[in-house]
Amino acid sequence: TPAPTPAPTPAPTPAPTPVPTPAPTPAPNKWQLLYSTGDFGSFTPGEDEFNEIVRQSGGNIIWRECSGCVATHQNIYMRRNDMDVYNAYQDLMVNWRGDVGFRSSFNLFSSLDDALNLQHPWQWCNGIGTGFPRDCGPVSRVDLQWNYVIRPNRYLSDNSIKFSILASGQA
């Protein structure tokens, strides 16, 4: 009698094709409002509240938006490395001191990407006697683009301004 034919060996089950894991979507930038007027709405905290928001944010990049400023000054990003001792309200809203700490404690930038990557900082800055950013400019002096709470800047076409800080972990 012939030998029985062995049953065929089943082909191995192929391993499942791995499904690529999508890259995580980066969290949107978390900006916390510090101050706003005009077209940006009205949020005008006093010095203590303003500085408390800055401290609690843990951030080190402050963004000023100014709808009535020239194009180079409509969006300015200031990155600081001394936030633990910095009085943001006094410096930004009352008596800007761009002459103190420029390039050592802070730099100004024209875009968030530049501020995050520490590239293309502004080249000229001064201060004292008026609001942020006095006559600071990307390349050279740019007059009359400042703001402060003592009085509106009569040279701007619109005194709508907004300050925000990028929350910790975002920069």
Side-chain angles (χ1 to χ4, degrees), residues 56-138:
Q56 287 185 359
S57 77
N60 69 337
I61 295 178
I62 295 175
W63 174 21
R64 187 202 69 172
E65 298 171 78
C66 175
S67 58
C69 291
V70 297
T72 57
H73 286 63
Q74 288 180 357
N75 291 284
I76 301 173
Y77 299 85
M78 178 177 61
R79 183 170 179 156
R80 298 197 68 97
N81 62 17
D82 62 350
M83 296 303 279
D84 55 329
V85 296
Y86 180 56
N87 185 330
Y89 185 88
Q90 280 295 316
D91 199 40
L92 298 171
M93 308 306 294
V94 179
N95 190 24
W96 168 246
R97 293 302 309 261
D99 58 327
V100 177
F102 182 52
R103 295 197 180 117
S104 61
S105 296
F106 76 93
N107 273 299
L108 302 176
F109 301 89
S110 297
S111 74
L112 177 59
D113 189 55
D114 284 349
L116 290 169
N117 293 298
L118 296 170
Q119 60 189 19
H120 313 297
W122 284 18
Q123 299 300 306
W124 202 91
C125 202
N126 68 345
I128 204 161
T130 193
F132 177 82
R134 180 64 189 222
D135 305 315
C136 303

Side-chain angles (χ1 to χ4, degrees), residues 32 52-61 83 165-171:
Q32 290 182 266
E52 185 62 22
I53 296 168
V54 169
R55 280 189 294 281
Q56 287 185 359
S57 77
N60 69 337
I61 295 178
M83 296 303 279
I165 188 163
L166 188 60
S168 178
Q170 301 298 310

Side-chain angles (χ1 to χ4, degrees), residues 19-31:
V19 176
T21 305
T25 304
N29 292 330
K30 305 275 191 229
W31 290 100

Side-chain angles (χ1 to χ4, degrees), residues 12 51 83 153 159-160:
N51 285 329
M83 296 303 279
N153 182 343
N159 273 282
S160 296

